[in-house]
Amino acid sequence: MVNSANTERAVLAGGCFWGVQGVFERLKGVEETTAGFSGGSASTAHYEIVSTGTTGHAESVKVVFDPKVVSFGTLLKVFFSVVMNPTELDYQGPDHGTQYRSVIFYADEAQHEVARRYIEQLAAARIFDAPIATELVPLARFFPAEDYHQDYAAKHPDQPYIRAVAAPKVEKLRKYFADLLKTVAR
């Protein structure tokens, strides 16, 4: 587990955490990613319960990164460009329910301000055809998901959901942000 004074963390939710993790783990400066849950209580931070959509949790990914290599703003650029459609409320693609909503769980006021300004810029530029539904929520706690969810896309590249939903996100990342990719991606 990376826990250095030289790293920061971002917790982002944008649909199924398998695809979100599969994108962020490939970026230069990202030292660790963990699939998990944010927005609800410890007692409900279990996949089978979260999947009911009644817990307040969103499937999330904690991204531990070196801000000297990749900024929080760059993570947001990838998040809004590759990871999900920020105009979809309580769903992403084939995944429906509040647990799949788009949320930036900001760790501090600096992250909140960067995210708020980024969303305002996107809205002012009319990048999307509908209003941005991404929530900005202070990070209370992050709960790692069960072990079998960790690095799921990397471990199961031929699983049908991964091929249909997660893999296209990685291809989009390679197409639009090749300069941000680690030399050797997992």
Side-chain angles (χ1 to χ4, degrees):
M1 182 170 139
V2 176
N3 193 7
S4 166
N6 300 323
T7 60
E8 294 180 17
R9 69 180 173 163
V11 176
L12 304 168
C16 175
F17 46 33
W18 295 342
V20 178
Q21 185 177 35
V23 167
F24 285 111
E25 69 187 1
R26 288 174 164 75
L27 297 178
K28 290 178 191 171
V30 171
E31 298 187 9
E32 180 180 287
T33 60
T34 306
F37 312 104
S38 293
S41 70
S43 65
T44 61
H46 306 281
Y47 182 75
E48 294 303 321
I49 302 171
V50 171
S51 65
T52 67
T54 61
T55 65
H57 281 296
E59 287 194 11
S60 307
V61 174
K62 178 173 72 172
V63 180
V64 178
F65 64 100
D66 181 344
K68 292 178 184 167
V69 179
V70 63
S71 69
F72 180 66
T74 299
L75 295 178
L76 293 181
K77 186 175 181 180
V78 169
F79 182 66
F80 282 98
S81 303
V82 173
V83 170
M84 50 85 211
N85 178 343
T87 67
E88 295 177 341
L89 181 63
D90 294 341
Y91 73 99
Q92 286 296 314
D95 302 313
H96 292 256
T98 59
Q99 70 271 29
Y100 298 114
R101 68 192 184 277
S102 172
V103 186
I104 298 167
F105 291 99
Y106 57 89
D108 55 31
E109 194 51 41
Q111 283 188 357
H112 179 244
E113 191 62 19
V114 169
R116 185 187 62 75
R117 286 184 182 174
Y118 194 85
I119 290 170
E120 285 177 356
Q121 290 173 356
L122 290 174
R126 300 183 193 280
I127 301 295
F128 300 100
D129 293 334
I132 293 173
T134 302
E135 300 172 23
L136 294 178
V137 177
L139 177 65
R141 292 192 55 198
F142 173 84
F143 304 95
E146 295 82 356
D147 287 345
Y148 70 92
H149 288 295
Q150 304 305 326
D151 301 310
Y152 190 89
K155 293 175 183 173
H156 305 282
D158 293 324
Q159 197 263 9
Y161 179 91
I162 297 303
R163 290 177 66 183
V165 179
K169 293 177 186 192
V170 172
E171 289 309 311
K172 196 173 179 184
L173 176 70
R174 287 183 178 129
K175 180 178 180 180
Y176 295 112
F177 298 103
D179 58 322
L180 297 179
L181 294 173
K182 292 176 181 176
T183 308
V184 177
R186 336 195 290 207

